[in-house]
Amino acid sequence: MTFPTALVKAPFAHRGFHDLNAGRPENSPAAFSAAIERGYGIELDVQLSSDGQAMVFHDYALDRLTAEAGPIQQRTAAELAQITLKGGTDTVQTLPEILTLIGGRVPLLVEIKDQDGAMGNNIGPLETMTAQALQGYGGDVAVMSFNPNTVAMMAQLAPTLPRGIVTSAYRYADWPLSRATCDHLREIPDYDRSAACFISHEVDDLSRARVADLRKAGTMVCCWTVRSAEIEATARQYADNITFEGYDALPAA
């Protein structure tokens, strides 16, 4: 599988074009609408509700992004729909609701958050619901995850969807993982096994030899998270596209 060219042209607004000062929380309909208005692609995250729905939300807990507390997996989709995101008026939405909002107007990257807790194989429900939600979606879309087992599962559940691994320098201090797991994931050994066609790599680690080797072999390289035009200029020497926030990236021509 090759990465569609439509997903390379426009930079991806990280969790939508969010800005709390403008009333646009991350992963909110307001942030997604702002990205669409500016011609940006959209990157969003999905987590699982207690009743098995794919919810558009980044964190495992509600505390940072809402006035509620506790794991998102302890609330139903209906309960989450009543919880307002801090800094705006939007509530937590399901993936199908957000897909309807976007409607194929801009390219989309869906990050499936690791549900195992250690990048292992205790996964399945969120991957299944994500695949079901994207079945028949008319826009340009790809799925990705830090957990390569999730990516491999998506190859089985939705073989026609482009898929990739979110990759990192895996510095020990930055990850609640064992050193052995960090050491394993750092050099992206699961790329072929997971049937991926792209990676999205940590921006300040883009010069890694493994990233260059994959790109030379035809892998599309995206990166996360670019926070200035200056960083973008450097990142584009190593990457085909960017995921950005906090400034106005140049949209597709």
Side-chain angles (χ1 to χ4, degrees):
M1 177 176 289
T2 57
F3 197 76
T5 56
L7 288 160
V8 180
K9 292 180 179 179
F12 289 100
H14 189 227
R15 307 174 197 169
F17 194 64
H18 59 89
D19 182 350
L20 284 179
N21 292 327
R24 303 194 304 264
E26 63 182 64
N27 278 322
S28 69
F32 300 142
S33 295
I36 293 168
E37 290 169 3
R38 291 161 175 80
Y40 296 137
I42 289 170
E43 184 268 355
L44 59 79
D45 310 279
V46 288
Q47 294 276 12
L48 198 67
S49 66
S50 65
D51 54 344
Q53 300 301 304
M55 309 302 300
V56 178
F57 199 79
H58 177 270
D59 294 3
Y60 296 96
L62 295 164
D63 306 52
R64 179 177 70 91
L65 298 168
T66 79
E68 299 291 318
I72 187 172
Q73 284 199 19
Q74 292 183 358
R75 307 293 182 102
T76 66
E79 290 169 338
L80 292 166
Q82 303 302 313
I83 298 176
T84 302
L85 297 167
K86 288 180 181 177
T89 59
D90 291 321
T91 61
V92 184
Q93 303 284 296
T94 67
L95 178 58
E97 288 170 332
I98 295 302
L99 292 175
T100 298
L101 169 68
I102 297 171
R105 288 178 286 172
V106 297
L108 176 62
L109 280 181
V110 176
E111 181 184 339
I112 304 170
K113 304 305 289 185
D114 174 43
Q115 303 297 293
D116 175 84
M119 305 294 190
N121 284 304
N122 187 19
I123 57 174
L126 181 55
E127 290 80 2
T128 298
M129 294 308 297
T130 300
Q132 288 181 9
L134 291 171
Q135 186 175 12
Y137 180 68
D140 293 305
V141 60
V143 294
M144 61 184 185
S145 180
F146 279 99
N147 187 337
N149 298 300
T150 286
V151 182
M153 181 172 286
M154 292 304 293
Q156 300 299 315
L157 293 171
T160 62
L161 278 180
R163 55 200 165 266
I165 304 176
V166 190
T167 49
S168 169
Y170 282 102
R171 301 173 183 91
Y172 302 139
D174 296 340
W175 288 89
L177 299 169
S178 70
R179 291 195 171 204
T181 299
C182 288
D183 291 343
H184 172 80
L185 294 172
R186 188 178 297 115
E187 293 300 327
I188 321 174
D190 300 293
Y191 183 81
D192 291 333
R193 176 183 71 81
S194 65
C197 66
F198 73 98
I199 63 171
S200 183
H201 197 69
E202 189 171 4
V203 67
D204 62 359
D205 192 58
L206 279 170
S207 61
R208 181 174 295 276
R210 173 63 168 155
V211 174
D213 289 345
L214 284 169
R215 194 180 187 204
K216 288 177 184 176
T219 297
M220 196 287 286
V221 175
C222 192
C223 65
W224 58 274
T225 302
V226 174
R227 291 185 168 87
S228 72
E230 292 76 19
I231 296 173
E232 177 179 347
T234 300
R236 286 193 178 277
Q237 298 176 35
Y238 303 94
D240 302 290
N241 202 356
I242 64 166
T243 305
F244 76 96
E245 67 176 33
Y247 75 105
D248 295 336
L250 291 176

